[in-house]
Amino acid sequence: MSLRTALVRLGIAAAGGALVVAGASPALASGATGAGDDRGHHQGHHPKFYKGVVTAPGGLNLRDKPTRGSTFLGLLPYGTTVKIFCKTSGENVKGNSLWYLLADGTWAWGTARFIDNIGPVPRWC
């Protein structure tokens, strides 16, 4: 193997490792510390989690991306209170293109169409 090939492979491996670390958890990327930390807005900080309640009559499908066609990760029953980390734009679901990144055990996406906020509106991801 040439020196150039070895350096290219090393660079690819390092970049891949950085992506894995950066994508491991939004909580890690944000510098969040402990679970359940709801300090509120002070000194320019956002609360770690926001709250919502599932309003989908048949339950809320959890996805690995903010689209209905992405991998199904689970189902939350109607009335479940959820922890919301942040929101982003995604596939439009019945007139609402916002999706929430939920932090209830598994980091998964749920359409905001079927989650009512409890308290402040979540920050953007």
Side-chain angles (χ1 to χ4, degrees), residues 59-122:
L60 179 71
N61 290 328
L62 301 178
R63 303 289 182 174
D64 73 337
K65 295 181 181 116
T67 65
R68 291 185 290 184
S70 64
T71 302
F72 173 81
L73 300 176
L75 181 77
L76 291 177
Y78 173 86
T80 301
T81 300
V82 294
K83 288 193 280 186
I84 303 167
F85 184 72
C86 61
K87 66 182 174 186
T88 194
S89 294
E91 182 179 351
N92 189 306
V93 177
K94 296 190 176 195
N96 189 332
S97 62
L98 293 178
W99 287 70
Y100 292 147
L101 181 56
L102 305 178
D104 295 299
T106 302
W107 290 86
W109 292 97
T111 175
R113 171 65 181 88
F114 295 114
I115 301 173
D116 282 349
N117 297 321
I118 300 171
V121 174

Side-chain angles (χ1 to χ4, degrees), residues 36-51 119-121 123:
D37 182 8
D38 292 319
R39 290 175 285 180
H41 298 275
H42 62 84
Q43 299 177 1
H45 295 277
H46 294 284
K48 181 177 177 191
F49 296 112
Y50 299 84
K51 290 184 182 180
V121 174
R123 68 183 167 272

